[in-house]
Amino acid sequence: MEYLKGLNPSQRAAVECVKGPVMIIAGAGSGKTRVITYRVAHLIRQRVDAFNILVLTFTNKAAREMRDRITNVVGGEAKNIWMGTFHSVFAKLLRVEADKLGYPSNFTIYDTDDSKSLLRAILKEMSLDDKLYSANFVYNRISAAKNNLISWQEYQQNDQIQSDDHSGGRGQLGKIYETYAVRCFRAGAMDFDDLLFKTNELLKTHPETLYKYQNKFKYLMVDEYQDTNYSQYLIVKRLAAINENICVVGDDAQSIYAFRGANIQNILNFEKDYPDLNVFKLEQNYRSTQNIVNVANSIIANNKDQLKKTVYSEKEHGDKIKVMRAFSDNEEGKMVSEAILQEHANKGLRWKDFSILYRTNAQSRSMEEGLRKLNIPYKIYGGLSFYQRKEIKDLIAYFRLTYNPHDEAAFKRVINYPKRGIGDTTVDKLIVAANQHQISLWEAASDPAKYL
C-alpha cells in the first residue's frame, strides 16, 4: 500500500471508502485527481475487476492522465477500466446497442458545425427568416431540449414551450426540431447531445439492457459532478441503482457551466438521493498562496446555496491581488501590456514568466494590440484546432461517407469538392427528392433517373 503513504488524512479516508455512495467535496488545488486515480487503483488492489469500474470525466485529457497514473500503480490492468468523457463512453456503449434504437452500429457523430450546417439547410428549405431563426439560436434551443430529455414530440406537445416560442415569434421551432431529428436518423447520425439523449432512451425503454450495464458497472466514479446536466445525472443514477457504489467528486464553488445546461442542484441535493452517504472534504489547497485562497474564500462566502468547507493553504502568503479598472477593452490591453513591460524591466523576468488569461477568444484582440505596440513577444494558445481546418474536415468527410453512405453532412461537403459540375440547384433537387421519398441523399444520387 505504498501509494497511500503520500496522501493526507482526508485524501486517504476518501480513497479507502470504496463501498456505498460517496461524495468527495474537493476544493481547488486539493489533489482531486490524485484521490480519484488512487481510489480506482485501490479498488483494483482490493480485487475488484477493472471491467466493472466506470470512471466518467469531463475532458479526454483528464481521462488520459488518470489512466496513466493508475497504470503506474496497478500496471496493465488499468487498460480494462471503462474511462472517458460522458460522450466518449456512451458513444462506445451505443455502438454496441444501436440496433435497439434503429440505428446502424456505424452511425456518424455530427460535430457542432455539421449540426448547424444541417439546420441552415432545413431553415432554407422551410423559407424561414435566418435572422429570427439563426442556426446558432435553433441549435442551442434543440440542445437545451435534449439535455432536459425533451423529445421533438414532447416539445411540440408542451404548452409552456409552445407559448414561449410563439410569443417570441418563433412558432416553427418545434417543426424544425422534428425535421432535424428525422434527417439525422435517416442519415444514420447522432449529434453530441444525442449521445446522452439516446443513452437515456435506451436505458429507459430497454430494461434488460439497463440491467446488463447495472451489473457490468458495479463501481461508478464521476468527476466534476457539479457540472453535470439533467441528462447526465439520470444516466448515472440509473446505472448505480442496484449496487449504489457511486462516488462523485466535485466542488459547488467551481460550477461554471450553467450556460451549457449544468445543474448545480445535482451536487447540492446528492444526499437526498443517497441518505446513507459518506462525505469527505478535501480542504487543503496545494496550488495557491494564502492570499489567493483567502480572496477566493471571501467571494465564495456570498453564495446562497453551498456545501460548507474551509479551504486553506500552507504555502507562503504571496503577493496581494491587484484589481485594475479599465474603461474600454483597448485601455485594458494597454494597462496589462505596460504592467508586463514594467515587471519585466524591474525584476529581470523572462517574457515566458507571464501569462494572460481571458474569458473569451474575442478578448484577445485588445491584448494583442497592446503587446504589439510595446514590441512584447507573445504566443496565443488555443484557436482553431487541427481537426477544424477545412482541408482536414474535407478529407474526414470522404472517410465518413465511405463508412456511412447515408451521412448527409458528409455527402453535401464532398459532392462538389473537388469541383465536378454539380451545383447548388442539383443538390437542392436531390434534397427535395430525398425528402419526398424518405431516403438518404446518397440513395437519391445513386439512381437519379428514378428519383429526380
Side-chain angles (χ1 to χ4, degrees), residues 329 332-333 336 355-369 371 378-384:
D329 55 349
E332 184 180 19
V336 169
S355 65
I356 300 174
L357 303 178
Y358 40 81
R359 195 169 56 85
T360 64
N361 286 330
Q363 292 173 284
S364 72
R365 184 192 60 80
S366 58
M367 295 296 166
E368 287 189 78
E369 285 188 7
L371 294 169
Y378 65 90
K379 181 177 182 181
I380 291 181
Y381 292 88
L384 198 64

Side-chain angles (χ1 to χ4, degrees), residues 69-298:
R69 292 195 194 186
I70 296 166
T71 301
N72 290 337
V73 179
V74 300
E77 188 68 12
K79 71 179 183 296
N80 297 324
I81 302 164
W82 276 62
M83 178 183 289
T85 64
F86 275 87
H87 292 88
S88 66
V89 166
F90 295 115
K92 182 179 174 183
L93 185 150
L94 286 169
R95 295 264 182 226
V96 178
E97 310 292 347
D99 61 306
K100 293 183 174 67
L101 298 173
Y103 281 83
S105 60
N106 65 332
F107 63 82
T108 301
I109 299 173
Y110 280 179
D111 65 15
T112 305
D113 286 344
D114 294 328
S115 296
K116 289 181 181 178
S117 175
L118 176 55
L119 284 169
R120 276 189 283 269
I122 292 169
L123 294 170
K124 182 181 176 184
E125 292 162 28
M126 294 177 68
S127 302
L128 294 171
D129 183 351
D130 60 2
K131 291 185 175 62
L132 188 60
Y133 291 94
S134 73
N136 280 342
F137 180 87
V138 176
Y139 173 81
N140 289 330
R141 187 71 169 165
I142 293 173
S143 176
K146 288 182 180 178
N147 285 333
N148 285 291
L149 303 184
I150 300 171
S151 65
W152 65 262
Q153 295 94 333
E154 292 168 316
Y155 190 99
Q156 292 179 358
Q157 293 163 9
N158 187 297
D159 292 337
Q160 182 61 55
I161 291 175
Q162 291 305 305
S163 175
D164 290 344
D165 286 352
H166 280 88
S167 65
R170 298 184 177 94
Q172 291 296 310
L173 279 170
K175 184 60 181 175
I176 298 169
Y177 186 2
E178 175 186 355
T179 307
Y180 174 74
V182 169
R183 292 273 278 273
C184 284
F185 182 76
R186 192 194 305 158
M190 295 188 195
D191 63 21
F192 281 142
D193 297 310
D194 280 328
L195 297 176
L196 304 181
F197 183 81
K198 296 296 181 182
T199 299
N200 267 298
E201 182 182 327
L202 174 72
L203 299 180
K204 181 181 179 181
T205 58
H206 293 80
E208 75 287 352
T209 304
L210 171 60
Y211 184 73
K212 167 184 167 183
Y213 287 104
Q214 284 173 332
N215 284 281
K216 177 177 179 58
F217 301 133
K218 293 177 180 176
Y219 293 86
L220 277 75
M221 290 193 67
V222 186
D223 190 17
E224 307 289 8
Y225 191 67
Q226 77 278 355
D227 290 325
T228 53
N229 60 33
Y230 178 64
S231 182
Q232 293 163 329
Y233 159 79
L234 213 54
I235 291 171
V236 170
K237 191 177 181 189
R238 281 181 168 139
L239 290 175
I242 289 182
N243 298 295
E244 291 199 345
N245 291 323
I246 176 172
C247 173
V248 301
V249 184
D251 179 9
D252 56 302
Q254 296 183 60
S255 180
I256 58 172
Y257 287 115
F259 71 95
R260 281 201 328 213
N263 185 356
I264 194 172
Q265 296 303 318
N266 291 349
I267 192 167
L268 294 176
N269 295 331
F270 193 67
E271 194 167 358
K272 292 180 182 177
D273 290 331
Y274 303 97
D276 54 342
L277 180 67
N278 289 296
V279 179
F280 300 93
K281 298 180 181 182
L282 308 182
E283 298 174 307
Q284 183 173 355
N285 183 311
Y286 292 93
R287 181 189 303 152
S288 308
T289 61
Q290 291 181 36
N291 271 328
I292 291 174
V293 171
N294 292 339
V295 168
N297 285 343
S298 69

Side-chain angles (χ1 to χ4, degrees), residues 12 22 31 35 89 181 190 233 273 293 298 389 416 439 452:
R12 180 160 183 162
V22 172
V35 170
V89 166
M190 295 188 195
Y233 159 79
D273 290 331
V293 171
S298 69
R389 288 160 55 183
N416 199 35
I439 57 175
L452 294 182

